Amino acid sequence: MGDDAGTAASRGDPGHGASASGAGLKRRRRRRRLGIAGIAVVVLAGGAVGVGWAVYAKLNGNITADEAAAAELARYEKERPTALVRGAQNVLLIGSDSRAGDGNARYGRDSGTERSDTTILLHLAAGRDSVTAVSLPRDLMVDVPGCHRPDGSRTEPALQQFNYAFATGGSACSIRTVEKLTGIRVDHHVVVDFAGFKEMVDALDGVEVCLRKPVDDKDAKLKLPAGRVTLDGEQALGYVRARKTLGDGSDTDRMDRQQRFLGALVNKVQSNDVLLNPVKLYPVLDAATSSLTTDPDLANLRGLYDLVRGLRGIPTERVQFLTVPRESYAGDANRDQLVQPDAENLFTRLRTDEPVTIAASRQDSTGGTAHSGEPGDADSPAPTFSGNTADEDICE
C-alpha cells in the first residue's frame, strides 16, 4: 500500500483512507496501540475519569484523524445512505491483518497489502439502552464500488470478497461497501491492528475465557488447559485467531469466539476494579487513545465522550453480538453470501433503530459454537437472531 495514504492525508487530498501500511499508521506504531476488541470495549464501556490537564492533553494528543477517508467519503456524499433516526449511531470497527509495523511480523509474512481481517458494525441505539455488534465475514461476497487506490488509480466496481475493499481502497472503500450492502449510514469508523489488541488485554491484566478441552496449537502459539483461563495479550491474540484446534475451523466459528471474547472484555472493563481505579484505568485509556485512527469527529476526547456518554448504564444483557446471517456462496463453498430475507430484515431493524433480539448460541465441546437456530420467520415483527450477550457465563 506504500506511503501514499499517509501523504494524501497530510496534504488534505482525497484518498483511500486509513491503512495500517500507510505512513500515518507506520508512525503511530511507535506508540502503544489497541486492537479491535479494545476499541469495542472503550466504545462500549466509555468510562469517564477525572484527570489533570496534562493527562487530558496527552490522551487527546494520542488520537489520529483519518482525514484521507473523510475527504474520499465527501466525494461520494450524494450516494451515501441518509441517517433515519436522530441520535442513533453506527460505528464501523475495522481490524487490519497487516504484518507491517513493530511486533506484527511474527504473525505472518508481510506481502505489502492488508485486508480487513475483522470488521464489526456497532449500532448504538438512540436511547442508549442497547448496543448491537454485527460481524461481517471477510469472505462474504459483496458488490464493491469503484474506489481510489493509494497510488491515485481507481478500481472498477466488482463482485468480490468483502476484505478486498480494504485491501484496495482502505477504510473509505470499506465504509462505502458496507453502506451499499446494508443501506445503513456509517457515522464513525476506527481502524486497529494485531499489536494493539495485546496492549489492551495486558493493560487489563488479562481476560478470562472458558475452554471445555485443552488447547495445543503450535501455529497460534497457544497451549492452554481446560476450564477457566485468564489470557494475557499474546495468548488472547492466539485464541481469537486460532482455527485448527478450536471449533470447526471455519471463519464463522472464529467470529463467534471473537464475539464471546468481546463480551468477557466488556465485563472486565465495566467492573469496578477497572473503572473506579485510576491507576488501572489510565493505562487502558492510554492504550486506547494511542491506538485510535478515527474519522475527524472522533479524533479528540470530547468527540469520544459525546459518543459514549450514557453507555455505562447499559446492562450487559443488552450488549449483543451476532454475525450477519450468511451461508456458503453458491459459486464457491469457501466463500459466504447473505441469507435473505433474514439479512435484510436485520439491516432494516438497525436502519430504523428497532430492537434486535438475540437467541443464545450453544458452545460446543471444543470451545466453538453450535447454533441453535436461524433468524425467526421473516414475516415476524420481532425476528430472533443467533448470537450472544456480554452477560452470558463463559462456562455455560
Side-chain angles (χ1 to χ4, degrees):
M1 307 287 284
D3 289 346
D4 297 331
T7 304
S10 65
R11 65 171 180 257
D13 292 346
H16 72 312
S19 164
S21 56
L25 287 186
K26 283 181 179 177
R27 289 192 298 269
R28 294 174 46 65
R29 287 196 179 97
R30 300 188 185 105
R31 298 177 290 175
R32 301 184 68 184
R33 291 162 295 183
L34 175 67
I36 190 76
I39 297 301
V41 167
V42 170
V43 173
L44 294 175
V49 62
V51 294
W53 172 250
V55 172
Y56 178 92
K58 180 183 186 301
L59 295 177
N60 196 69
N62 284 344
I63 307 170
T64 296
D66 193 356
E67 300 286 357
E72 179 74 349
L73 292 172
R75 292 164 59 98
Y76 296 96
E77 179 59 37
K78 290 184 179 180
E79 72 177 36
R80 299 184 66 195
T82 300
L84 300 181
V85 179
R86 183 182 178 88
Q89 295 280 292
N90 297 293
V91 184
L92 193 66
L93 308 175
I94 303 171
S96 166
D97 72 351
S98 172
R99 270 65 173 179
D102 297 340
N104 282 344
R106 75 186 69 177
Y107 306 114
R109 183 177 59 87
D110 181 10
S111 63
T113 63
E114 59 184 330
R115 298 185 178 92
S116 49
D117 184 65
T118 302
T119 303
I120 295 176
L121 181 62
L122 192 70
H123 176 76
L124 314 179
R128 296 300 188 266
D129 56 358
S130 69
V131 178
T132 301
V134 180
S135 294
L136 299 171
R138 61 184 183 179
D139 292 334
L140 185 68
M141 298 301 293
V142 297
D143 290 317
V144 179
C147 297
H148 284 95
R149 293 189 178 96
D151 63 6
S153 64
R154 181 181 171 86
T155 64
E156 293 296 324
L159 177 66
Q160 289 280 358
Q161 293 172 243
F162 176 68
N163 60 5
Y164 170 84
F166 191 68
T168 58
S171 53
C173 192
S174 292
I175 291 167
R176 292 177 59 218
T177 300
V178 169
E179 291 184 338
K180 183 178 179 65
L181 177 72
T182 67
I184 297 170
R185 174 81 176 206
V186 174
D187 302 292
H188 303 288
H189 71 277
V190 177
V191 180
V192 293
D193 75 351
F194 287 160
F197 179 93
K198 298 190 302 178
E199 294 285 353
M200 180 63 171
V201 174
D202 285 335
L204 289 168
D205 294 327
V207 173
E208 185 180 65
V209 299
C210 183
L211 300 173
R212 299 298 177 87
K213 296 175 62 177
V215 175
D216 189 356
D217 188 325
K218 293 182 180 179
D219 289 342
K221 300 178 177 62
L222 199 64
K223 188 170 185 177
L224 301 168
R228 295 179 183 268
V229 181
T230 298
L231 305 181
D232 62 22
E234 187 73 30
Q235 293 169 325
L237 181 59
Y239 175 75
V240 299
R241 291 190 54 78
R243 299 180 69 164
K244 294 182 179 180
T245 57
L246 289 173
D248 60 12
S250 69
D251 197 48
T252 298
D253 188 88
R254 184 173 65 161
M255 285 186 293
D256 289 337
R257 196 181 328 123
Q258 291 171 348
Q259 292 164 7
R260 290 182 179 278
F261 186 87
L262 281 174
L265 201 53
V266 169
N267 274 317
K268 184 66 177 283
V269 172
Q270 286 190 334
S271 69
N272 289 348
D273 192 38
V274 175
L275 291 181
L276 299 184
N277 187 334
V279 174
K280 291 187 176 182
L281 181 57
Y282 176 77
V284 175
L285 293 178
D286 187 37
T289 55
S290 294
S291 79
L292 293 178
T293 297
T294 78
D295 57 279
D297 287 344
L298 282 189
N300 55 79
L301 291 183
R302 169 54 61 183
L304 290 173
Y305 175 75
D306 286 344
L307 177 68
V308 304
R309 61 182 172 181
L311 293 184
R312 285 198 331 189
I314 297 177
T316 51
E317 65 267 20
R318 297 297 296 153
V319 178
Q320 306 177 131
F321 303 92
L322 69 151
T323 298
V324 64
R326 42 72 57 200
E327 62 187 2
S328 294
Y329 178 54
D332 184 344
N334 294 317
R335 304 289 180 261
D336 294 330
Q337 64 186 25
L338 296 179
V339 172
Q340 297 293 6
D342 299 327
E344 182 53 36
N345 206 336
L346 172 63
F347 299 152
T348 298
R349 298 190 77 81
L350 295 177
R351 278 196 301 269
T352 57
D353 200 35
E354 293 294 322
V356 173
T357 303
I358 299 297
S361 303
R362 177 175 57 83
Q363 194 175 54
D364 67 26
S365 62
T366 65
T369 300
H371 295 287
S372 57
E374 294 299 322
D377 187 339
D379 295 328
S380 169
T384 299
F385 298 89
S386 180
N388 61 280
T389 63
D391 73 326
E392 293 181 23
D393 189 291
I394 60 174
C395 279
E396 287 187 351

